[in-house]
């Protein structure tokens, strides 16, 4: 297994004393933007790395920084190893050599304390393969052909320029420029059924950051659950959003967008949830439940004939 690029950059800077971002980008065959992202990753791992502007500027490590046991305390060494362990895990790779080398330099053992698996139950191989393909396309700036299941129920073919993979609310998303719509779009990975990396490349363009919606943008949803549903309630709501009643019931309050997803989410609790407010949501869920009942009632009548 190849060494992590992060460790190579660290070793290169230790050996050379410094380098420019274009120099590092050329040496490691990545973009300058990727080099700056690597700097952020190393910095978050406790490595004192910085960029300096000007004629003699570039990327440097702090002057007195050496990977020597006399420099860092035992606790600091453990923190560096733990941070690098978490970076490797969340990248989805087993980059064990970087930890082995730093552990040897620090004369400390690195415990495998963190395990993260972003794949769905029963879909580890296919989900991870899809993620790796898209990550490769993003890094190499290659166009991608997708088969995508949209919210309208349609299955469409899309050719996109992939810019970023994002993980939010327990789901992976691909942020890309859709050539069909001629605009930047966000695709949910679980709805991407097929991925084909094309030979055609594309120029980089910035992907605008989306502003997080504030609580005031959504109505407050108040729900009541019986105490035995605690295992699901705390799966979905933060403990600060949940109040336990004297009879053991749980009342959850949260600002949420009212859409088809919310209706389906509430129906998934069956009779184990009561919508206290707003009234229009209670009516909407009741209406959907009635349609479901009528559908299966008709099916039952047909089966009897």
């Amino acid at each position: 297994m190849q060494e992590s690029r992060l460790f190579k950059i660290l070793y290169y800077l230790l050996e050379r004393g410094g380098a420019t971002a274009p120099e590092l980008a050329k040496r490691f065959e990545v973009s300058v933007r990727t080099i700056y992202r690597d700097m952020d990753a190393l910095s978050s791992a406790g490595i004192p790395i910085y960029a300096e502007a000007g004629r003699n500027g570039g990327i440097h490590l702090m002057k007195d920084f050496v990977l020597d046991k006399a420099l860092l305390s035992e606790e600091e060494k453990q923190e560096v190893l733990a941070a690098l362990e978490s970076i490797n895990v969340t990248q989805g790779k087993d980059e064990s050599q970087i930890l082995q080398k730093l552990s040897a330099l620090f004369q400390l053992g690195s415990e495998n304390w963190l395990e993260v698996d972003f794949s769905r139950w029963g879909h580890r191989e296919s989900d991870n393969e899809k993620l790796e393909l898209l990550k490769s396309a993003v890094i190499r700036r290659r166009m991608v052909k997708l088969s995508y299941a949209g919210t309208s129920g349609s299955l469409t073919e899309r050719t996109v320029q992939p810019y970023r993979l994002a993980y939010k609310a327990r789901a992976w998303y691909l942020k890309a420029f859709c050539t069909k719509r001629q605009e930047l779009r966000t695709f949910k990975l679980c709805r991407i059924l097929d991925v084909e990396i094309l030979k055609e490349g594309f120029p980089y363009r910035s992907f605008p950051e989306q502003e997080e919606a504030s609580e005031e943008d959504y109505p407050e949803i108040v729900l009541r659950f019986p105490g035995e549903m605690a295992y699901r309630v705390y799966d979905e709501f933060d403990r600060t959003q949940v109040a336990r009643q004297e009879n053991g019931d749980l009342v959850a309050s949260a600002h949420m967008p009212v859409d088809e997803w919310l209706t389906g989410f509430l129906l998934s609790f069956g009779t184990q949830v009561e919508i206290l407010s707003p009234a229009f949501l209670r009516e909407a869920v009741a209406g959907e439940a009635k349609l479901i009942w009528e559908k299966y009632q008709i099916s039952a009548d047909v089966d009897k004939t």
Side-chain angles (χ1 to χ4, degrees):
M1 184 178 294
Q2 292 184 345
E3 294 176 275
S4 165
R5 187 177 66 251
L6 294 177
F7 184 80
K8 287 183 178 181
I9 291 173
L10 177 59
Y11 185 81
Y12 188 84
L13 293 176
L14 281 169
E15 185 179 34
R16 303 285 180 118
T20 65
E23 176 186 347
L24 291 172
K26 182 178 180 180
R27 178 174 180 81
F28 298 108
E29 300 180 344
V30 295
S31 67
V32 171
R33 187 180 181 87
T34 298
I35 291 298
Y36 284 118
R37 284 200 295 264
D38 289 343
M39 284 183 59
D40 290 338
L42 287 168
S43 179
S44 68
I47 306 299
I49 189 171
Y50 67 96
E52 189 174 39
R55 182 178 179 182
N56 298 318
I59 298 173
H60 304 273
L61 296 169
M62 288 185 65
K63 184 177 180 180
D64 296 330
F65 176 77
V66 290
L67 291 176
D68 179 64
K69 63 181 182 180
L71 177 68
L72 301 174
S73 68
E74 295 299 306
E75 183 179 355
E76 289 171 333
K77 295 173 193 175
Q78 290 286 6
E79 288 180 356
V80 170
L81 291 176
L84 290 174
E85 174 97 34
S86 64
I87 289 174
N88 289 334
V89 171
T90 54
Q91 284 178 340
K93 289 188 175 182
D94 179 21
E95 297 286 3
S96 57
Q97 289 190 16
I98 180 175
L99 292 170
Q100 291 173 357
K101 289 185 177 182
L102 287 180
S103 295
L105 287 168
F106 289 162
Q107 295 183 355
L108 286 175
S110 173
E111 295 185 8
N112 189 14
W113 65 276
L114 182 64
E115 180 178 348
V116 177
D117 186 354
F118 291 114
S119 62
R120 294 166 292 173
W121 288 105
H123 297 82
R124 181 187 180 102
E125 185 174 345
S126 61
D127 282 353
N128 289 342
E129 180 181 0
K130 187 193 306 180
L131 191 63
E132 286 300 313
L133 282 172
L134 291 172
K135 183 172 72 172
S136 174
V138 170
I139 294 173
R140 295 164 56 200
R141 293 187 190 170
R142 291 291 185 267
M143 301 279 286
V144 172
K145 185 177 180 181
L146 305 175
S147 176
Y148 190 70
T151 54
S152 63
S154 61
L155 186 63
T156 60
E157 298 291 334
R158 307 285 188 94
T159 300
V160 304
Q161 300 172 354
Y163 287 99
R164 185 183 303 172
L165 286 167
Y167 187 81
K168 185 176 180 61
R170 290 178 288 183
W172 279 104
Y173 296 88
L174 173 68
K175 296 185 175 182
F177 181 82
C178 178
T179 59
K180 180 178 180 179
R181 305 295 185 190
Q182 285 295 299
E183 61 183 0
L184 294 166
R185 287 293 184 95
T186 300
F187 301 91
K188 196 169 185 177
L189 256 66
C190 62
R191 296 179 188 165
I192 298 176
L193 307 184
D194 296 297
V195 178
E196 179 185 354
I197 299 180
L198 306 178
K199 293 182 179 180
E200 182 183 357
F202 61 92
Y204 180 82
R205 73 179 78 187
S206 61
F207 198 102
E209 299 293 339
Q210 295 180 339
E211 294 185 2
E212 292 287 340
S214 63
E215 289 191 353
E216 291 73 19
D217 294 329
Y218 303 126
E220 184 179 33
I221 311 300
V222 183
L223 310 168
R224 178 159 53 209
F225 304 88
E228 58 266 26
M229 292 299 294
Y231 72 99
R232 277 206 63 187
V233 172
Y234 289 111
D235 273 351
E236 307 293 346
F237 300 95
D238 185 81
R239 63 178 299 175
T240 59
Q241 298 173 311
V242 180
R244 184 176 291 275
Q245 307 299 296
E246 290 185 3
N247 64 353
D249 286 352
L250 301 172
V251 174
S253 303
H255 291 266
M256 306 172 70
V258 178
D259 51 21
E260 292 182 357
W261 177 89
L262 180 59
T263 302
F265 168 72
L266 294 173
L267 285 171
S268 72
F269 286 92
T271 60
Q272 299 300 305
V273 61
E274 179 185 357
I275 302 171
L276 301 181
S277 67
F280 73 84
L281 178 60
R282 184 165 59 246
E283 294 170 1
V285 173
E288 191 69 20
K290 182 179 179 181
L291 291 175
I292 294 173
W293 181 86
E294 291 175 349
K295 177 179 180 178
Y296 287 103
Q297 184 65 30
I298 292 173
S299 299
D301 293 340
V302 171
D303 291 341
K304 292 178 181 178
T305 60

